Amino acid sequence: MQEEALNAIRGADTLEALQSVKTQYLGKNGLVTAQLKTLGTLTPDERRERGAAINLLKQILEAATQARENELRQAALEARLASEAIDVTLPGLALPAGGLHVITRILYELSDIFTSLGYAVVEGQEVEDETHNFDALNMPAWHPARDLQDTFWLENGQVLRTHTSNMQIRYMETHEPPLKIVVPGRVYRYEATDATHESMFHQFEGLVVGEGITMADLKGAIAEMGRAMFGKNARVRFQPSYYPFVEPGADFAIWWDQEQRWLELGGSGMVHPNVFRAVDDLREARGLTRIYEGKTGFAFGLGPNRIAMLRYGIPDIRYFYANDLRVLTQFRGDLNSTAPHARAPKETM
Ligand code: DAH
């Protein structure tokens, strides 16, 4: 039995197997224990002799079990050390890195350009009231221009802002001139979607107010932006257009020299006197001074989506917001070259 047991112990190649061998021989119902139970039937002399022999067997098996257990534990530890060893000289694994969304990059780029011209970057609310989205922008309820924009109405009578122009009003309401701001942000239109229309998209608004501001200042600002974005040969073109909150109003395009084509980018104009008057009314209601009437200023609003579509060759505006990684991951490669990481502080209203 000793021979057999020792073979079984040495042959156990896992701790579980060893445990079951141990139980088989030394357990409460084990073979060695069974031998001890037979002692009662023997004469005292036989019992002493046999008892000593069985106890010796028991000690030998226990010692062998302990030795085998040590061996197995040591082997397991060595295997673990080998498998978990780290070769620090191996080349590192490239972790997949995220990147800024293309629209975010265009907005950052535009913000940087205007920041360098002394503008402040301001962000503000997307849920807006009629006053700031329409009325104060010279678009009273009866105004036909109000039909130009299809609006998402909320049950409480508020709207999802249809343009970033609401921030012109919000900013002037609480800040005094002179001022130069740009406003990147989301806007919403209730309209059928197709390759060039989406119910949520982005705008980039600008507003400058002071004394003696003219259309030449507007043109200078847009031209500066055009050169910064599209190279030194960029030119600007203004064409008369109508927006209720400016007079005169003009659409502007930038000559994209590299592609030899004009890019229709947005609307602009001189801030309408009615806008200044409405802002002063709002200020007065807050107990602030009427300070805008008689001031001059210009405003503009442009579409970053269009810039991104043309620059990156993205054929459908819906790709920007579908979160399809096949689209998004294409534009993270040159992230560092176009989007500086240190951003100018922006004001959130
Ligand atoms: N808010 C206009 C729109 O959504 C764009 C615009 C036009 C903004 C002329 C302006 C502006 O500030 O002066 O279509």
Side-chain angles (χ1 to χ4, degrees), residues 149 162-165 168 189 203 205-206 243 245-246 267-269 299-301:
Q149 293 175 330
T162 58
H163 50 188
T164 43
S165 307
Q168 292 189 27
R189 302 273 171 94
Q203 282 191 342
E205 189 92 9
Y243 297 94
F245 32 90
V246 284
S268 65
F300 63 87

Side-chain angles (χ1 to χ4, degrees), residues 220-281:
I222 300 295
E224 193 60 39
M225 176 194 76
R227 283 190 289 271
M229 287 223 74
F230 297 98
K232 64 179 182 346
N233 291 328
R235 282 177 284 140
V236 288
R237 179 182 75 187
F238 285 85
Q239 288 175 316
S241 186
Y242 173 71
Y243 297 94
F245 32 90
V246 284
E247 179 58 35
D251 284 331
F252 61 90
I254 290 177
W255 177 251
W256 187 9
D257 201 51
Q258 193 190 328
E259 298 288 320
Q260 293 288 299
R261 57 177 289 191
W262 288 100
L263 300 183
E264 297 284 352
L265 279 190
S268 65
M270 302 306 293
V271 179
H272 197 290
N274 286 350
V275 172
F276 286 143
R277 195 167 306 128
V279 165
D280 274 341
D281 289 346

Side-chain angles (χ1 to χ4, degrees), residues 229-338:
M229 287 223 74
F230 297 98
K232 64 179 182 346
N233 291 328
R235 282 177 284 140
V236 288
R237 179 182 75 187
F238 285 85
Q239 288 175 316
S241 186
Y242 173 71
Y243 297 94
F245 32 90
V246 284
E247 179 58 35
D251 284 331
F252 61 90
I254 290 177
W255 177 251
W256 187 9
D257 201 51
Q258 193 190 328
E259 298 288 320
Q260 293 288 299
R261 57 177 289 191
W262 288 100
L263 300 183
E264 297 284 352
L265 279 190
S268 65
M270 302 306 293
V271 179
H272 197 290
N274 286 350
V275 172
F276 286 143
R277 195 167 306 128
V279 165
D280 274 341
D281 289 346
L282 288 167
R283 288 175 59 85
E284 199 169 72
R286 286 174 172 266
L288 298 172
T289 51
R290 299 189 72 91
I291 200 171
Y292 280 93
E293 273 159 295
K295 295 285 184 288
T296 47
F298 67 77
F300 63 87
L302 60 85
N305 294 90
R306 213 175 128 65
I307 298 180
M309 288 172 85
L310 294 162
R311 182 190 278 178
Y312 300 111
I314 298 170
D316 191 315
I317 191 172
R318 290 168 292 192
Y319 285 151
F320 289 120
Y321 307 114
N323 278 338
D324 185 336
L325 287 177
R326 290 172 304 176
V327 175
L328 300 181
T329 53
Q330 289 177 49
F331 304 106
R332 62 181 180 202
D334 59 342
L335 185 63
N336 295 328
S337 62
T338 58

Side-chain angles (χ1 to χ4, degrees), residues 24-324:
Q24 187 189 347
Y25 289 96
L26 300 170
K28 225 185 320 154
N29 301 311
L31 295 170
V32 175
T33 321
Q35 291 291 321
L36 282 171
K37 284 178 187 158
T38 64
L39 291 179
T41 62
L42 304 176
T43 65
D45 278 350
E46 286 172 328
R47 196 184 300 158
R48 195 176 314 114
E49 198 182 324
R50 224 174 133 67
I54 296 171
N55 273 327
L56 182 62
L57 171 64
K58 204 174 154 185
Q59 279 166 28
I60 288 170
L61 296 188
E62 275 169 353
T65 307
Q66 188 59 53
R68 183 62 185 151
E69 183 178 332
N70 293 346
E71 264 172 35
L72 288 171
R73 287 197 190 283
Q74 185 62 27
L77 178 65
E78 272 160 24
R80 207 177 118 206
L81 286 174
S83 75
E84 289 180 3
I86 294 170
D87 182 350
V88 294
T89 64
L90 286 174
L93 296 175
L95 294 175
L100 295 176
H101 192 278
V102 258
I103 296 299
T104 306
R105 290 166 52 186
I106 300 283
L107 294 176
Y108 280 1
E109 206 175 318
L110 286 165
S111 297
D112 282 351
I113 293 166
F114 283 97
T115 303
S116 77
L117 296 174
Y119 288 63
V121 181
V122 178
E123 285 187 338
Q125 60 206 71
E126 294 168 23
V127 172
E128 189 50 286
D129 53 44
E130 283 188 86
T131 306
H132 294 83
N133 196 78
F134 294 125
D135 299 273
L137 286 162
N138 197 29
M139 300 166 81
W142 50 264
H143 200 290
R146 219 137 140 163
D147 299 333
L148 295 177
Q149 293 175 330
D150 298 301
T151 309
F152 280 113
W153 291 88
L154 306 186
E155 280 171 359
N156 66 4
Q158 289 187 298
V159 299
L160 295 184
R161 70 174 175 194
T162 58
H163 50 188
T164 43
S165 307
N166 70 320
M167 291 307 295
Q168 292 189 27
I169 308 301
R170 289 228 166 254
Y171 196 81
M172 288 191 281
E173 195 177 335
T174 51
H175 296 75
E176 296 192 357
L179 59 88
K180 290 161 59 168
I181 60 165
V182 285
V183 185
R186 293 186 179 82
V187 302
Y188 302 82
R189 302 273 171 94
Y190 182 57
E191 58 188 5
T193 62
D194 61 27
T196 54
H197 297 85
E198 178 60 293
S199 48
M200 189 279 289
F201 55 99
H202 283 81
Q203 282 191 342
F204 190 83
E205 189 92 9
L207 175 69
V208 171
V209 180
E211 308 274 353
I213 307 284
T214 70
M215 204 80 184
D217 298 308
L218 166 61
K219 194 176 171 189
I222 300 295
E224 193 60 39
M225 176 194 76
R227 283 190 289 271
M229 287 223 74
F230 297 98
K232 64 179 182 346
N233 291 328
R235 282 177 284 140
V236 288
R237 179 182 75 187
F238 285 85
Q239 288 175 316
S241 186
Y242 173 71
Y243 297 94
F245 32 90
V246 284
E247 179 58 35
D251 284 331
F252 61 90
I254 290 177
W255 177 251
W256 187 9
D257 201 51
Q258 193 190 328
E259 298 288 320
Q260 293 288 299
R261 57 177 289 191
W262 288 100
L263 300 183
E264 297 284 352
L265 279 190
S268 65
M270 302 306 293
V271 179
H272 197 290
N274 286 350
V275 172
F276 286 143
R277 195 167 306 128
V279 165
D280 274 341
D281 289 346
L282 288 167
R283 288 175 59 85
E284 199 169 72
R286 286 174 172 266
L288 298 172
T289 51
R290 299 189 72 91
I291 200 171
Y292 280 93
E293 273 159 295
K295 295 285 184 288
T296 47
F298 67 77
F300 63 87
L302 60 85
N305 294 90
R306 213 175 128 65
I307 298 180
M309 288 172 85
L310 294 162
R311 182 190 278 178
Y312 300 111
I314 298 170
D316 191 315
I317 191 172
R318 290 168 292 192
Y319 285 151
F320 289 120
Y321 307 114
N323 278 338
D324 185 336

